[in-house]
Amino acid sequence: MGSEAALPKWAWKPCIMGIDEAGRGPVLGPMVYGCLYCARSYQKTLSTLNFADSKTLKEEKREELFQNLKADESIGWAVDVIDPRELSSKMLKKNKINLNEISHDSAIGLIRKVLSIGVLLTEVYVDTVGDAEKYRVKLSERFPNVKFVVAKKADSLYPVVSGASIVAKVTRDRALRDWVLDETAENMHTSFGSGYPGDPHTKAWLEDHKHSIFGFPTLVRFSWGTCTSYSKDMVEVLWDTDDIDEDGSNGRAGKRQMKLTSVGFTPVKRKSEETESSGKGTHEQSGQLAMPMDIGDRLQIPKTV
Amino acid sequence: MDGGNEGSPLLRSETTVNLSWKGEAVADLTGKVHQLPCCIKYDGPTSVSDYFKPKSSGMEVDGLTLEETYFRGRKLHGTAVPLPDGYSGFILGKKSSEKKTNTETSDCWEANAKFQNVTVWNHDSLPSNDDAFLRTFHWFAVAKALHQPVNVEDLESVPADEDLV
């Protein structure tokens, strides 16, 4: 989606961009990164569009604002929808990629994409994930020509981030509303609620959809602590990549390995270093390399003219 | 696995494995047998096809066509490995004991299903011909060579100075 030919004239002038996320906390559904950009000269008009405090807005109001900003020819936007399967599997890899890293990579992917279509980004405002200063340095190293402002609650401080937050939140809500479950078992439904672990609807949905062997439908983020509380209802599954405890007492892991071998399963020693350095290992083995490519497939950049 | 229908009884008890299935009466599970990189502490039926949905990943490595799927939040990479020519896979079940002739416990097994390939799944790494599971098939060639009868001509064709170990 989106095309370079449709790049508006204002994109050649210095532009600002905001980046924000939606759906970081929920135990199910995608996490969405959204960005919104416009010419720096449009900044004042932007602050009159009432994007501020987007998270306190009602859903209908957010939808309305989203329609407005989509229709606004002086504004460009893009989203990165990170599938729950991707979140779970990255966080449960042998070399785990944590949520902050996934978030950073998504934001980096958005910046790269917007730059690549020819938008002259000079300032980017980002709602922080993890330590703000470290995050700012990380971004500045990758994009030395862009000035980054990384802050807590950036979505209520900078209208351009508020706008990005609307883009992200509306996209996440829609994705969840239109979600088609992969699984084909009977009596499944899509009353997920908000997806937050504390939401009674979400709790009820999880209870209705737990499965003793498969755990949950793949909409659920298996790497979330919430899922662990259901483990008593599920058959134990042992992986050859199960961790050695970080405090050094690898008693549990040792026991697990022993159990694996006692049922005739031999843990295979991976040769990941070899395959990676020989270039034979594919992008799946090295998360950081993989991200920009993955993001390319997910990005939706709408026409801005 | 290899055609023969004599089970190899470990003890002198009545253990037989009957692989003589009656035509199409036995289900063909080709494409539905999966080797997962984990141990599932469960033995029995479950709704696999409703939850376990492999799809092509559009990649090929070492001449292996790759598939991908998810299980318990992990991403798995797999490939369907055909069993070597002349071999078949069987799912065995204990024969329902219709004839309880005496108190002797007879371990009678029969084939409930057969299959011609196994989909082997890895977590975190792509399947390759170096995987232990795929390499086990090399044994078939070795076993065949080992058990092939050697006749006089074979021996004579070996140069005298070649070391036979």
Side-chain angles (χ1 to χ4, degrees):
Chain A
M1 282 176 78
S3 74
E4 286 77 15
L7 190 68
K9 283 222 173 69
W10 54 258
W12 296 90
K13 295 193 282 179
C15 288
I16 57 165
M17 181 161 92
I19 299 179
D20 197 15
E21 130 289 320
R24 190 178 150 88
V27 64
L28 53 81
M31 176 167 82
V32 177
Y33 259 78
C35 68
L36 182 140
Y37 53 95
C38 65
R40 201 160 53 186
S41 54
Y42 194 66
Q43 203 168 358
K44 273 198 180 130
T45 323
L46 199 69
S47 49
T48 64
L49 298 179
N50 300 317
F51 290 159
D53 284 337
S54 67
K55 283 188 178 151
T56 61
L57 295 171
K58 287 222 166 69
E59 189 170 346
E60 305 85 66
K61 184 67 184 165
R62 274 198 304 264
E63 282 278 354
E64 187 194 317
L65 287 171
F66 185 52
Q67 295 307 329
N68 294 349
L69 69 85
K70 274 205 306 194
D72 193 328
E73 289 177 5
S74 303
I75 293 175
W77 59 279
V79 288
D80 179 24
V81 180
I82 307 166
D83 194 281
R85 284 167 291 213
E86 186 178 333
L87 294 173
S88 306
S89 61
K90 287 208 159 115
M91 292 173 78
L92 292 170
K93 276 170 80 128
K94 191 178 187 180
N95 299 314
K96 293 174 175 42
I97 306 174
N98 67 37
L99 193 62
N100 283 2
E101 221 173 319
I102 296 172
S103 304
H104 292 174
D105 287 342
S106 179
I108 289 166
L110 284 172
I111 299 163
R112 191 166 285 145
K113 189 73 190 173
V114 171
L115 284 172
S116 76
I117 61 170
V119 178
L120 179 60
L121 289 181
T122 53
E123 293 165 38
V124 175
Y125 297 79
V126 190
D127 196 38
T128 195
V129 165
D131 183 88
E133 180 54 18
K134 280 185 192 154
Y135 191 12
R136 194 193 60 78
V137 169
K138 186 175 178 178
L139 292 169
S140 302
E141 277 171 359
R142 278 169 181 74
F143 306 100
N145 298 323
V146 179
K147 182 196 162 205
F148 285 97
V149 177
V150 181
K152 266 184 197 163
K153 299 201 168 87
D155 60 325
S156 54
L157 292 173
Y158 308 100
V160 76
V161 182
S162 309
S165 131
I166 286 172
V167 170
K169 181 81 175 120
V170 170
T171 307
R172 148 99 188 164
D173 287 347
R174 286 184 182 178
L176 210 53
R177 202 189 309 141
D178 303 337
W179 196 269
V180 180
L181 290 168
D182 256 3
E183 293 70 19
T184 46
E186 278 173 32
N187 301 323
M188 297 189 123
H189 61 85
T190 53
S191 311
F192 315 121
S194 63
Y196 281 96
D199 183 333
H201 292 284
T202 302
K203 279 184 184 168
W205 187 87
L206 288 171
E207 195 60 39
D208 290 350
H209 291 78
K210 66 184 182 195
H211 188 281
S212 64
I213 305 296
F214 295 95
F216 289 104
T218 52
L219 168 76
V220 173
R221 303 175 183 174
F222 285 75
S223 44
W224 254 240
T226 318
C227 296
T228 340
S229 58
Y230 288 89
S231 56
K232 62 183 187 309
D233 302 326
M234 289 165 194
V235 165
E236 194 183 4
V237 171
L238 308 174
W239 297 84
D240 60 339
T241 49
D242 278 345
D243 262 355
I244 288 171
D245 288 356
E246 273 172 21
D247 59 348
S249 68
N250 61 352
R252 199 185 68 152
K255 213 167 110 200
R256 290 192 165 207
Q257 294 287 354
M258 221 167 73
K259 280 194 232 162
L260 279 172
T261 42
S262 70
V263 294
F265 188 93
T266 316
V268 182
K269 297 276 182 298
R270 302 286 173 208
K271 296 181 292 182
S272 53
E273 303 89 346
E274 264 177 55
T275 40
E276 264 174 54
S277 58
S278 70
K280 219 174 118 190
T282 64
H283 63 279
E284 284 306 331
Q285 281 178 321
S286 126
Q288 275 182 320
L289 269 174
M291 283 309 289
M293 284 187 281
D294 287 352
I295 281 170
D297 300 336
R298 291 191 306 250
L299 277 174
Q300 301 168 24
I301 300 222
K303 276 193 184 174
T304 47
V305 166
Chain B
M1 255 175 131
D2 189 10
N5 61 359
E6 306 282 319
S8 51
L10 292 171
L11 302 165
R12 254 175 239 164
S13 63
E14 297 261 325
T15 304
T16 60
V17 178
N18 184 11
L19 298 181
S20 59
W21 62 95
K22 309 122 200 156
E24 286 156 32
V26 160
D28 186 3
L29 290 181
T30 300
K32 291 181 180 175
V33 178
H34 300 278
Q35 162 77 30
L36 296 189
C38 57
C39 169
I40 303 167
K41 296 260 178 172
Y42 174 78
D43 193 6
T46 191
S47 44
V48 177
S49 57
D50 284 334
Y51 284 89
F52 193 74
K53 304 200 180 261
K55 56 175 194 197
S56 167
S57 61
M59 282 190 286
E60 210 174 278
V61 171
D62 277 4
L64 306 167
T65 307
L66 302 192
E67 298 173 52
E68 57 184 46
T69 193
Y70 296 85
F71 180 66
R72 292 268 180 120
R74 271 82 171 175
K75 185 171 191 178
L76 307 181
H77 303 276
T79 188
V81 185
L83 299 181
D85 272 351
Y87 290 84
S88 284
F90 293 94
I91 312 281
L92 302 179
K94 259 188 186 168
K95 201 168 184 173
S96 43
S97 48
E98 314 114 4
K99 38 172 186 179
K100 289 174 212 148
T101 43
N102 47 30
T103 49
E104 225 177 292
T105 49
S106 85
D107 262 340
C108 234
W109 297 75
E110 61 183 358
N112 289 333
K114 63 192 201 97
F115 54 94
Q116 285 305 325
N117 68 14
V118 177
T119 308
V120 189
W121 296 97
N122 286 350
H123 175 217
D124 263 12
S125 61
L126 296 178
S128 86
N129 286 321
D130 294 334
D131 288 353
F133 191 89
L134 276 83
R135 283 190 293 144
T136 54
F137 289 114
H138 296 335
W139 171 250
F140 292 126
V142 178
K144 195 178 170 193
L146 274 174
H147 293 286
Q148 211 151 37
V150 180
N151 56 33
V152 183
E153 293 89 62
D154 288 337
L155 285 174
E156 281 172 350
S157 69
V158 176
D161 57 348
E162 192 169 306
D163 286 333
L164 285 172
V165 185

